[in-house]
Structures are given as structure tokens and as C-alpha cells.
Amino acid sequence: MSTGERTGATAGATVGLTDSVTTSVMRLSIRMRLTLWNASVLALVLGAFALAGWATLTTTLQLHTDAAVRESARVVAGAIRAERAAAYARGDVEAVRGETEQAVLRELRVGDLEVFIADEGTQLMAARQPGPSRTTINTIDEAVLLPDEVRTLLRDVVQTRAAEVADERQVAVGTIRLRGVKWRAGVTRLAPMAQDPGEPPLLVAVLHSLEADRLLLRAVRNTLLLAIPLALLASVITGYALARRSLAPLDAMTTRTASITAANLSDRLQVVNPHDELGRLAHIVNGLLGRVGDAFSTQRQFVADASHELRTPIAIIRGEADVTLRRSTRDEAEYREALQVIQQESVRLSRIVDDLFLLARVDAGSPIGEHREVAIAELVATAARSVRSLAESRGVTLQLNETAATDGLRMHGDSVLLHRLMLNLLDNALKHAPTSSTVRVRVDVTDQLVQIDVEDEGSGVPSALRDRVFERFVHGASSRLASDENGHGSGGAGLGLAIAQAIAHAHGGHIALHPSTELTSGACFRVSLPRSASASGELA
């Protein structure tokens, strides 16, 4: 296998392992993941704290030990120099060598430190070695040998580190192993006195055992090794219990949500605390259920109303066909009358189906027209001419008012849909306008909008229907009662205003029900469309 193949295989194995770990983690419950994340973060914090504490304690102990041996070496050297000066002052020159060092070690209290005094030839002059029960002063006469480890340290200081210990103010510090125990040693050099310049310099070595520090560090280490796992175990248990208790409302919400079906959409989730995250989630889910319930009710009502509206023309067509076929022979006039009724109801049925299809496309967000330039004033005038004969047949005057600013005004939109919008509004006004009344159409323009008002002198929109006037299958009282001369309903399916509003929305505008500006009664529907309107996502 080549290097590239081995690298690719290794990378593939790593990616596979990562995906496997990620999949395993995702299969865990939220409470378990929260518990593991909490324990992981706590483990990192405790580990970092333990390492930092261990490093700090180790450094502090070493600094304290180094300071102790340095200070003790300076004190011993200074005491020897002072004792020598006093002996020279008394004239006791013969007793200076050896006895001076012994006297200093007898009188100084340096705790559990061991002190060795030797010349540069590593000849031991005096030593102090604390025992279990008393302090023993060893002298030259007692033939105490200088430990090899100390001798080696002194030789190293004399040979390689002499510059560090030019006098007793400077102390060289190092670590040696003596009698199976590590010691921290401080060595300083005591220069000859001015009264006897030929006297060889002395080396003062002060040793501090590191055994107590080692035992302390071991105790701290054992404590950390025991305390950290116990703390993690307690964190896992406590974290799991807290996560389970905190997520208990989520389990209840899950169970409750799973039990909600189309038959009980009115049920809601219980909001225990509206101020926390789960309370806000329950509030949002309740809002969603409310919107779903409203949409479901609207859809159910839509289907019921559509079925009702479709059933009427179908029933008429079927009735006319049954009546016509009941007799074996009929004259041509009767057949023509029956076919005429069937044709009228077929046209009405086709119009309802087309309207439902258009609204279905609007609900689905599908494009419902083509985006082109439209001469709005000409379009309104064309729509008014289209219904003028209908207005005359009902004894209603149609009045069109245009301002000079609308001459040649063009906007972007679908001319077929906008023409249908105007026809729906005019048809609605004519249905509610009493005989010998006037339906007024005004076109005006502002800096941003094109406004078209359609007013009638009818009874107006009942207050109970004002908020629902643009909903589907909503009929006014007069349209419910309207009928043509043959007894067939002419009030429409209640989709005209809903379709007009959908077309206005598709052009980035809207239709609003306004109080009539000139009449004491009646209704005024105002269409507001942007002058440079681009489609709101529903025009192709």
C-alpha cells in the first residue's frame, strides 16, 4: 500500500470514528447529554484547578525551602565571622580555628536543618545533625566524616560555581540525595578575616530535608485523586437528577402534544412557568395549535361552504334534466328553456370552480399572473364599461371620476387580474345598490400609491360582518336574498371580495372598507396599489 493510500485509509477511519461517536452521542437523551456535558466541564475545571494547585504548591514549597537554606547559610556564616571577630578582639587567636565554628553551632537554633562547615579542601570543621530526640554537635575530634554527597556538592561549588559564592552574602542552592532522602542544600563561602589573611576560606553547607514536602505532596495528590472522582460522581448524580426534574415539564408536553389529534385541536399544553424557556415553548406550541385549529376550522368551513355552493347549481342542473326527461315528448321551447337553465348554472358552476382554483393557488403561494405595465385609468374605465349594461338593467347610475394626475399613469401588474378585481368590486356594489341610486368610482394617485374607491348607496356592511367581509363565502344580507326573475340565486358564492383582496395582495397592495366620503349610507371599498409595485411573490 502506498503512502497516499495509507493516509487516505487513516483519514477515512478517523472520519468514520468521529461519525460513530457523534451518532452515539445523538442517540442519548437530552438529560443524559446535559449530565455528560456538565460532568465533562466540571472534570476540565477540576483537572485544571488540581494542576494549577499542584504547580503552585510545589513551587511555593521549593521557594520556601530555598529561602530557608539561603537565610540559614547567611546566618551561620555571619555568626562565625562575628565570633571570629570577637575572638581576635580578645586576643584568643589560637582558639579561633575549629572552636569558633563549634561554638556557633552550639548556640544557633536552626530547627531541623543540618549544617556542615568545611574548608575548601573539604576537611570537615564542624557539623550539626539533628537526631530524633536531641541535637548532636560533631567536631573534628569526634572523627565525623563529611558525607560523600556533601563533599561532592562542596567540590562542585568550589570548582564550577565559585563566582556564585564570592562571600557569605551569596548562596548557591542545589539538590542532593543523602541517606536515601532528597535534600535541598545551600552553600556559601566565608572569606578569611583581615587579621589573618592566610587563613583558608570556609564553606558553610545548610541542608533541608525534602521528605516532609514529599509526604505533604503525596497526601495532597492522594486527596485530589480521591476527591475529584467523588466530586464528578456527585456531579453526575446531581446533574442527572436536576436535568430530569427540569425537563419533566418537557416530557409532559411531549405526552400531551402526542395526544392532540384533529378531534381535540382545542386542547392546550399546560404552562407551568410562563417566564422560563419551557413556559415560552409551551406558549408558542399553544399558539401554533391555535393557528392550526383555526386553519383546520377554516378549511372545514371552506369545504362545507364550497360543497353547499357547488351543490346548488348541480341540483338545479340535475332537476332540470330529470324534469325534461320525465316526459317522453316535449316541444322545442321546453327543451330550449331547460337547456338554457342548465347552461346558466353550468356557467355559474364553472365560475365557482375557477374562483376556488384561484384561491387555492393563492393559498399555495403559486404565481397567479404575469408582471407587465398596465394603464390603470384605462383599465378602470374598461371595467366600468363592462358593467354599464348591468347597472342600467338594475336602474343604477355608474359614475367614473378621474383626476388629471391619472392620465397616462402606468403601473406594473397583471391587467387580467386587475380587471377582475375591478369587476368584482363593481359587481358587489351593484348588487347592494338600490334602484335609482349611484355607484361612484374614483381614481386618484399619491406619491407612492394608486387609490381606487368604489362607493354605493346601499344599506352598508353590517357591523357584525365588517371584520369578516373579505373572508370566503361571507354573504351580505341583501345578496343572500337576491334572486333573479326565474327564482335562481344571483347573490354569488361569496368569493368576489376574497378574490379581489387576494389579487390586491399579489400586487403588493390591499383593499380596505372605508366610511363613505360623500354619502350618509352605503359602503366604500378603497383599493391601494403601489405605483411602482412589483409583485409580492405571487405574480410570475
mmCIF file of all heavy atoms in Angstrom, residues 234-276:
data_model
loop_
_atom_site.group_PDB
_atom_site.id
_atom_site.type_symbol
_atom_site.label_atom_id
_atom_site.label_comp_id
_atom_site.label_asym_id
_atom_site.label_seq_id
_atom_site.Cartn_x
_atom_site.Cartn_y
_atom_site.Cartn_z
ATOM 1 N N ALA A 234 -20.633 12.772 42.250
ATOM 2 C CA ALA A 234 -21.717 13.573 42.827
ATOM 3 C C ALA A 234 -22.307 14.519 41.783
ATOM 4 O O ALA A 234 -23.525 14.736 41.742
ATOM 5 C CB ALA A 234 -21.196 14.363 44.029
ATOM 6 N N SER A 235 -21.437 15.068 40.902
ATOM 7 C CA SER A 235 -21.930 15.968 39.860
ATOM 8 C C SER A 235 -22.823 15.233 38.877
ATOM 9 O O SER A 235 -23.862 15.753 38.453
ATOM 10 C CB SER A 235 -20.748 16.599 39.124
ATOM 11 O OG SER A 235 -21.187 17.332 38.008
ATOM 12 N N VAL A 236 -22.439 14.000 38.495
ATOM 13 C CA VAL A 236 -23.248 13.226 37.557
ATOM 14 C C VAL A 236 -24.612 12.907 38.159
ATOM 15 O O VAL A 236 -25.652 13.087 37.518
ATOM 16 C CB VAL A 236 -22.502 11.934 37.159
ATOM 17 C CG1 VAL A 236 -23.438 10.994 36.402
ATOM 18 C CG2 VAL A 236 -21.288 12.261 36.310
ATOM 19 N N ILE A 237 -24.606 12.446 39.415
ATOM 20 C CA ILE A 237 -25.871 12.091 40.062
ATOM 21 C C ILE A 237 -26.763 13.321 40.226
ATOM 22 O O ILE A 237 -27.945 13.319 39.872
ATOM 23 C CB ILE A 237 -25.599 11.417 41.425
ATOM 24 C CG1 ILE A 237 -24.854 10.088 41.203
ATOM 25 C CG2 ILE A 237 -26.903 11.177 42.174
ATOM 26 C CD1 ILE A 237 -24.425 9.414 42.488
ATOM 27 N N THR A 238 -26.163 14.395 40.756
ATOM 28 C CA THR A 238 -26.939 15.616 40.974
ATOM 29 C C THR A 238 -27.389 16.235 39.650
ATOM 30 O O THR A 238 -28.539 16.673 39.513
ATOM 31 C CB THR A 238 -26.103 16.633 41.762
ATOM 32 O OG1 THR A 238 -25.644 16.030 42.971
ATOM 33 C CG2 THR A 238 -26.937 17.864 42.095
ATOM 34 N N GLY A 239 -26.470 16.263 38.665
ATOM 35 C CA GLY A 239 -26.828 16.838 37.366
ATOM 36 C C GLY A 239 -27.938 16.073 36.680
ATOM 37 O O GLY A 239 -28.840 16.668 36.099
ATOM 38 N N TYR A 240 -27.885 14.743 36.769
ATOM 39 C CA TYR A 240 -28.942 13.945 36.141
ATOM 40 C C TYR A 240 -30.280 14.188 36.829
ATOM 41 O O TYR A 240 -31.317 14.315 36.169
ATOM 42 C CB TYR A 240 -28.575 12.465 36.204
ATOM 43 C CG TYR A 240 -29.553 11.573 35.470
ATOM 44 C CD1 TYR A 240 -29.454 11.408 34.091
ATOM 45 C CD2 TYR A 240 -30.564 10.921 36.140
ATOM 46 C CE1 TYR A 240 -30.341 10.605 33.401
ATOM 47 C CE2 TYR A 240 -31.475 10.110 35.454
ATOM 48 C CZ TYR A 240 -31.354 9.961 34.092
ATOM 49 O OH TYR A 240 -32.246 9.167 33.421
ATOM 50 N N ALA A 241 -30.228 14.257 38.190
ATOM 51 C CA ALA A 241 -31.473 14.496 38.926
ATOM 52 C C ALA A 241 -32.048 15.873 38.578
ATOM 53 O O ALA A 241 -33.257 16.020 38.359
ATOM 54 C CB ALA A 241 -31.225 14.378 40.426
ATOM 55 N N LEU A 242 -31.169 16.891 38.522
ATOM 56 C CA LEU A 242 -31.648 18.238 38.196
ATOM 57 C C LEU A 242 -32.149 18.309 36.754
ATOM 58 O O LEU A 242 -33.175 18.952 36.476
ATOM 59 C CB LEU A 242 -30.515 19.251 38.408
ATOM 60 C CG LEU A 242 -30.108 19.507 39.863
ATOM 61 C CD1 LEU A 242 -28.923 20.458 39.924
ATOM 62 C CD2 LEU A 242 -31.275 20.064 40.670
ATOM 63 N N ALA A 243 -31.420 17.660 35.819
ATOM 64 C CA ALA A 243 -31.867 17.669 34.428
ATOM 65 C C ALA A 243 -33.207 16.950 34.286
ATOM 66 O O ALA A 243 -34.095 17.408 33.549
ATOM 67 C CB ALA A 243 -30.810 17.012 33.539
ATOM 68 N N ARG A 244 -33.348 15.851 35.003
ATOM 69 C CA ARG A 244 -34.619 15.118 34.926
ATOM 70 C C ARG A 244 -35.756 15.956 35.488
ATOM 71 O O ARG A 244 -36.849 16.005 34.913
ATOM 72 C CB ARG A 244 -34.496 13.813 35.691
ATOM 73 C CG ARG A 244 -35.741 12.934 35.622
ATOM 74 C CD ARG A 244 -35.510 11.618 36.329
ATOM 75 N NE ARG A 244 -36.691 10.756 36.225
ATOM 76 C CZ ARG A 244 -36.773 9.549 36.751
ATOM 77 N NH1 ARG A 244 -35.732 9.046 37.399
ATOM 78 N NH2 ARG A 244 -37.868 8.842 36.618
ATOM 79 N N ARG A 245 -35.480 16.630 36.611
ATOM 80 C CA ARG A 245 -36.532 17.460 37.211
ATOM 81 C C ARG A 245 -36.838 18.663 36.323
ATOM 82 O O ARG A 245 -38.004 19.035 36.150
ATOM 83 C CB ARG A 245 -36.080 17.927 38.594
ATOM 84 C CG ARG A 245 -37.100 18.791 39.311
ATOM 85 C CD ARG A 245 -36.594 19.204 40.683
ATOM 86 N NE ARG A 245 -37.552 20.043 41.379
ATOM 87 C CZ ARG A 245 -38.572 19.606 42.089
ATOM 88 N NH1 ARG A 245 -38.781 18.302 42.200
ATOM 89 N NH2 ARG A 245 -39.400 20.427 42.696
ATOM 90 N N SER A 246 -35.793 19.264 35.726
ATOM 91 C CA SER A 246 -36.006 20.449 34.887
ATOM 92 C C SER A 246 -36.729 20.105 33.590
ATOM 93 O O SER A 246 -37.502 20.917 33.071
ATOM 94 C CB SER A 246 -34.660 21.111 34.568
ATOM 95 O OG SER A 246 -34.006 21.522 35.759
ATOM 96 N N LEU A 247 -36.457 18.900 33.053
ATOM 97 C CA LEU A 247 -37.059 18.511 31.780
ATOM 98 C C LEU A 247 -38.357 17.732 31.955
ATOM 99 O O LEU A 247 -38.936 17.283 30.957
ATOM 100 C CB LEU A 247 -36.068 17.672 30.966
ATOM 101 C CG LEU A 247 -34.805 18.410 30.512
ATOM 102 C CD1 LEU A 247 -33.860 17.463 29.792
ATOM 103 C CD2 LEU A 247 -35.150 19.590 29.616
ATOM 104 N N ALA A 248 -38.788 17.547 33.208
ATOM 105 C CA ALA A 248 -40.054 16.841 33.430
ATOM 106 C C ALA A 248 -41.220 17.540 32.725
ATOM 107 O O ALA A 248 -42.065 16.870 32.113
ATOM 108 C CB ALA A 248 -40.324 16.704 34.921
ATOM 109 N N PRO A 249 -41.302 18.890 32.774
ATOM 110 C CA PRO A 249 -42.379 19.540 32.001
ATOM 111 C C PRO A 249 -42.291 19.258 30.508
ATOM 112 O O PRO A 249 -43.322 19.191 29.827
ATOM 113 C CB PRO A 249 -42.169 21.040 32.306
ATOM 114 C CG PRO A 249 -41.443 21.070 33.612
ATOM 115 C CD PRO A 249 -40.568 19.870 33.591
ATOM 116 N N LEU A 250 -41.069 19.078 29.980
ATOM 117 C CA LEU A 250 -40.931 18.773 28.556
ATOM 118 C C LEU A 250 -41.497 17.395 28.248
ATOM 119 O O LEU A 250 -42.149 17.202 27.206
ATOM 120 C CB LEU A 250 -39.460 18.847 28.157
ATOM 121 C CG LEU A 250 -39.147 18.675 26.671
ATOM 122 C CD1 LEU A 250 -39.851 19.747 25.856
ATOM 123 C CD2 LEU A 250 -37.646 18.734 26.435
ATOM 124 N N ASP A 251 -41.266 16.426 29.141
ATOM 125 C CA ASP A 251 -41.869 15.101 28.948
ATOM 126 C C ASP A 251 -43.394 15.198 28.964
ATOM 127 O O ASP A 251 -44.080 14.560 28.151
ATOM 128 C CB ASP A 251 -41.387 14.143 30.044
ATOM 129 C CG ASP A 251 -39.920 13.776 29.881
ATOM 130 O OD1 ASP A 251 -39.423 13.884 28.744
ATOM 131 O OD2 ASP A 251 -39.287 13.406 30.869
ATOM 132 N N ALA A 252 -43.910 15.995 29.917
ATOM 133 C CA ALA A 252 -45.360 16.172 29.975
ATOM 134 C C ALA A 252 -45.886 16.838 28.703
ATOM 135 O O ALA A 252 -46.942 16.461 28.172
ATOM 136 C CB ALA A 252 -45.731 16.998 31.204
ATOM 137 N N MET A 253 -45.127 17.828 28.195
ATOM 138 C CA MET A 253 -45.536 18.491 26.957
ATOM 139 C C MET A 253 -45.515 17.515 25.785
ATOM 140 O O MET A 253 -46.410 17.536 24.931
ATOM 141 C CB MET A 253 -44.604 19.676 26.681
ATOM 142 C CG MET A 253 -44.756 20.829 27.646
ATOM 143 S SD MET A 253 -43.411 22.038 27.492
ATOM 144 C CE MET A 253 -43.543 22.453 25.757
ATOM 145 N N THR A 254 -44.494 16.652 25.738
ATOM 146 C CA THR A 254 -44.402 15.676 24.659
ATOM 147 C C THR A 254 -45.594 14.726 24.681
ATOM 148 O O THR A 254 -46.222 14.449 23.643
ATOM 149 C CB THR A 254 -43.090 14.890 24.775
ATOM 150 O OG1 THR A 254 -41.990 15.803 24.757
ATOM 151 C CG2 THR A 254 -42.946 13.896 23.636
ATOM 152 N N THR A 255 -45.901 14.216 25.883
ATOM 153 C CA THR A 255 -47.021 13.292 26.012
ATOM 154 C C THR A 255 -48.335 13.971 25.645
ATOM 155 O O THR A 255 -49.179 13.404 24.934
ATOM 156 C CB THR A 255 -47.090 12.751 27.444
ATOM 157 O OG1 THR A 255 -45.836 12.142 27.776
ATOM 158 C CG2 THR A 255 -48.197 11.729 27.593
ATOM 159 N N ARG A 256 -48.479 15.207 26.138
ATOM 160 C CA ARG A 256 -49.714 15.935 25.865
ATOM 161 C C ARG A 256 -49.853 16.251 24.381
ATOM 162 O O ARG A 256 -50.939 16.111 23.791
ATOM 163 C CB ARG A 256 -49.740 17.233 26.678
ATOM 164 C CG ARG A 256 -51.000 18.054 26.525
ATOM 165 C CD ARG A 256 -52.210 17.307 27.009
ATOM 166 N NE ARG A 256 -53.395 18.136 27.003
ATOM 167 C CZ ARG A 256 -54.626 17.673 27.144
ATOM 168 N NH1 ARG A 256 -54.809 16.368 27.304
ATOM 169 N NH2 ARG A 256 -55.649 18.488 27.125
ATOM 170 N N THR A 257 -48.752 16.675 23.753
ATOM 171 C CA THR A 257 -48.794 17.016 22.329
ATOM 172 C C THR A 257 -49.109 15.793 21.477
ATOM 173 O O THR A 257 -49.854 15.875 20.488
ATOM 174 C CB THR A 257 -47.455 17.622 21.892
ATOM 175 O OG1 THR A 257 -47.162 18.759 22.715
ATOM 176 C CG2 THR A 257 -47.508 18.066 20.442
ATOM 177 N N ALA A 258 -48.539 14.642 21.857
ATOM 178 C CA ALA A 258 -48.792 13.422 21.099
ATOM 179 C C ALA A 258 -50.258 12.997 21.164
ATOM 180 O O ALA A 258 -50.739 12.295 20.269
ATOM 181 C CB ALA A 258 -47.894 12.291 21.608
ATOM 182 N N SER A 259 -50.956 13.413 22.233
ATOM 183 C CA SER A 259 -52.359 13.011 22.378
ATOM 184 C C SER A 259 -53.324 13.929 21.633
ATOM 185 O O SER A 259 -54.516 13.644 21.564
ATOM 186 C CB SER A 259 -52.740 12.991 23.868
ATOM 187 O OG SER A 259 -52.704 14.304 24.420
ATOM 188 N N ILE A 260 -52.806 15.058 21.093
ATOM 189 C CA ILE A 260 -53.673 16.017 20.396
ATOM 190 C C ILE A 260 -53.817 15.581 18.940
ATOM 191 O O ILE A 260 -52.824 15.401 18.230
ATOM 192 C CB ILE A 260 -53.099 17.441 20.488
ATOM 193 C CG1 ILE A 260 -53.067 17.894 21.947
ATOM 194 C CG2 ILE A 260 -53.925 18.407 19.652
ATOM 195 C CD1 ILE A 260 -52.442 19.257 22.146
ATOM 196 N N THR A 261 -55.047 15.399 18.513
ATOM 197 C CA THR A 261 -55.350 15.000 17.144
ATOM 198 C C THR A 261 -56.339 15.997 16.545
ATOM 199 O O THR A 261 -56.684 17.007 17.169
ATOM 200 C CB THR A 261 -55.935 13.574 17.114
ATOM 201 O OG1 THR A 261 -57.171 13.566 17.847
ATOM 202 C CG2 THR A 261 -54.972 12.574 17.756
ATOM 203 N N ALA A 262 -56.799 15.685 15.343
ATOM 204 C CA ALA A 262 -57.773 16.562 14.694
ATOM 205 C C ALA A 262 -59.082 16.630 15.465
ATOM 206 O O ALA A 262 -59.834 17.604 15.335
ATOM 207 C CB ALA A 262 -58.037 16.070 13.267
ATOM 208 N N ALA A 263 -59.341 15.628 16.305
ATOM 209 C CA ALA A 263 -60.595 15.612 17.053
ATOM 210 C C ALA A 263 -60.552 16.492 18.293
ATOM 211 O O ALA A 263 -61.594 16.855 18.832
ATOM 212 C CB ALA A 263 -60.945 14.165 17.456
ATOM 213 N N ASN A 264 -59.356 16.835 18.798
ATOM 214 C CA ASN A 264 -59.266 17.648 20.019
ATOM 215 C C ASN A 264 -58.232 18.757 19.860
ATOM 216 O O ASN A 264 -57.363 18.950 20.717
ATOM 217 C CB ASN A 264 -58.918 16.766 21.227
ATOM 218 C CG ASN A 264 -57.611 16.013 21.052
ATOM 219 O OD1 ASN A 264 -57.123 15.884 19.941
ATOM 220 N ND2 ASN A 264 -57.047 15.527 22.137
ATOM 221 N N LEU A 265 -58.299 19.477 18.725
ATOM 222 C CA LEU A 265 -57.364 20.574 18.487
ATOM 223 C C LEU A 265 -57.564 21.737 19.450
ATOM 224 O O LEU A 265 -56.721 22.628 19.518
ATOM 225 C CB LEU A 265 -57.519 21.076 17.044
ATOM 226 C CG LEU A 265 -56.844 20.220 15.959
ATOM 227 C CD1 LEU A 265 -57.181 20.757 14.585
ATOM 228 C CD2 LEU A 265 -55.340 20.190 16.171
ATOM 229 N N SER A 266 -58.652 21.732 20.188
ATOM 230 C CA SER A 266 -58.890 22.804 21.156
ATOM 231 C C SER A 266 -58.101 22.594 22.447
ATOM 232 O O SER A 266 -58.008 23.515 23.262
ATOM 233 C CB SER A 266 -60.386 22.899 21.484
ATOM 234 O OG SER A 266 -60.858 21.675 22.026
ATOM 235 N N ASP A 267 -57.534 21.406 22.645
ATOM 236 C CA ASP A 267 -56.728 21.164 23.842
ATOM 237 C C ASP A 267 -55.436 21.969 23.767
ATOM 238 O O ASP A 267 -54.905 22.229 22.694
ATOM 239 C CB ASP A 267 -56.409 19.674 23.984
ATOM 240 C CG ASP A 267 -57.654 18.852 24.300
ATOM 241 O OD1 ASP A 267 -58.701 19.482 24.575
ATOM 242 O OD2 ASP A 267 -57.579 17.614 24.247
ATOM 243 N N ARG A 268 -54.915 22.329 24.956
ATOM 244 C CA ARG A 268 -53.704 23.140 25.021
ATOM 245 C C ARG A 268 -52.734 22.538 26.039
ATOM 246 O O ARG A 268 -53.136 21.789 26.931
ATOM 247 C CB ARG A 268 -54.031 24.590 25.423
ATOM 248 C CG ARG A 268 -54.840 25.342 24.382
ATOM 249 C CD ARG A 268 -54.060 25.547 23.112
ATOM 250 N NE ARG A 268 -54.823 26.289 22.115
ATOM 251 C CZ ARG A 268 -55.552 25.732 21.172
ATOM 252 N NH1 ARG A 268 -55.636 24.395 21.093
ATOM 253 N NH2 ARG A 268 -56.191 26.471 20.296
ATOM 254 N N LEU A 269 -51.467 22.893 25.893
ATOM 255 C CA LEU A 269 -50.446 22.454 26.836
ATOM 256 C C LEU A 269 -50.518 23.302 28.094
ATOM 257 O O LEU A 269 -50.847 24.491 28.053
ATOM 258 C CB LEU A 269 -49.053 22.580 26.221
ATOM 259 C CG LEU A 269 -48.806 21.812 24.922
ATOM 260 C CD1 LEU A 269 -47.372 22.040 24.461
ATOM 261 C CD2 LEU A 269 -49.070 20.334 25.112
ATOM 262 N N GLN A 270 -50.173 22.695 29.229
ATOM 263 C CA GLN A 270 -50.170 23.426 30.491
ATOM 264 C C GLN A 270 -48.887 24.247 30.591
ATOM 265 O O GLN A 270 -47.788 23.730 30.382
ATOM 266 C CB GLN A 270 -50.251 22.459 31.671
ATOM 267 C CG GLN A 270 -50.285 23.154 33.034
ATOM 268 C CD GLN A 270 -50.347 22.160 34.176
ATOM 269 O OE1 GLN A 270 -50.289 20.950 33.951
ATOM 270 N NE2 GLN A 270 -50.452 22.658 35.393
ATOM 271 N N VAL A 271 -49.014 25.504 30.910
ATOM 272 C CA VAL A 271 -47.864 26.407 31.074
ATOM 273 C C VAL A 271 -47.603 26.545 32.570
ATOM 274 O O VAL A 271 -48.338 27.239 33.285
ATOM 275 C CB VAL A 271 -48.138 27.779 30.424
ATOM 276 C CG1 VAL A 271 -46.928 28.682 30.593
ATOM 277 C CG2 VAL A 271 -48.481 27.612 28.948
ATOM 278 N N VAL A 272 -46.560 25.873 33.052
ATOM 279 C CA VAL A 272 -46.247 25.900 34.484
ATOM 280 C C VAL A 272 -45.622 27.229 34.865
ATOM 281 O O VAL A 272 -46.035 27.885 35.819
ATOM 282 C CB VAL A 272 -45.301 24.731 34.843
ATOM 283 C CG1 VAL A 272 -44.958 24.770 36.333
ATOM 284 C CG2 VAL A 272 -45.953 23.397 34.488
ATOM 285 N N ASN A 273 -44.603 27.629 34.130
ATOM 286 C CA ASN A 273 -43.925 28.898 34.398
ATOM 287 C C ASN A 273 -43.783 29.645 33.074
ATOM 288 O O ASN A 273 -42.952 29.288 32.237
ATOM 289 C CB ASN A 273 -42.542 28.648 35.019
ATOM 290 C CG ASN A 273 -41.828 29.950 35.367
ATOM 291 O OD1 ASN A 273 -42.368 31.041 35.210
ATOM 292 N ND2 ASN A 273 -40.603 29.828 35.860
ATOM 293 N N PRO A 274 -44.579 30.670 32.852
ATOM 294 C CA PRO A 274 -44.541 31.349 31.550
ATOM 295 C C PRO A 274 -43.272 32.148 31.298
ATOM 296 O O PRO A 274 -43.072 32.648 30.199
ATOM 297 C CB PRO A 274 -45.766 32.280 31.613
ATOM 298 C CG PRO A 274 -45.986 32.523 33.072
ATOM 299 C CD PRO A 274 -45.562 31.256 33.770
ATOM 300 N N HIS A 275 -42.393 32.273 32.320
ATOM 301 C CA HIS A 275 -41.213 33.121 32.179
ATOM 302 C C HIS A 275 -39.958 32.335 31.811
ATOM 303 O O HIS A 275 -38.952 32.960 31.444
ATOM 304 C CB HIS A 275 -40.963 33.897 33.474
ATOM 305 C CG HIS A 275 -42.136 34.727 33.910
ATOM 306 N ND1 HIS A 275 -42.573 35.839 33.215
ATOM 307 C CD2 HIS A 275 -42.992 34.586 34.965
ATOM 308 C CE1 HIS A 275 -43.628 36.361 33.830
ATOM 309 N NE2 HIS A 275 -43.904 35.619 34.889
ATOM 310 N N ASP A 276 -39.949 31.002 31.954
ATOM 311 C CA ASP A 276 -38.756 30.256 31.600
ATOM 312 C C ASP A 276 -38.869 29.732 30.168
ATOM 313 O O ASP A 276 -39.868 29.951 29.478
ATOM 314 C CB ASP A 276 -38.493 29.116 32.586
ATOM 315 C CG ASP A 276 -39.611 28.077 32.583
ATOM 316 O OD1 ASP A 276 -40.527 28.176 31.746
ATOM 317 O OD2 ASP A 276 -39.577 27.172 33.437
#
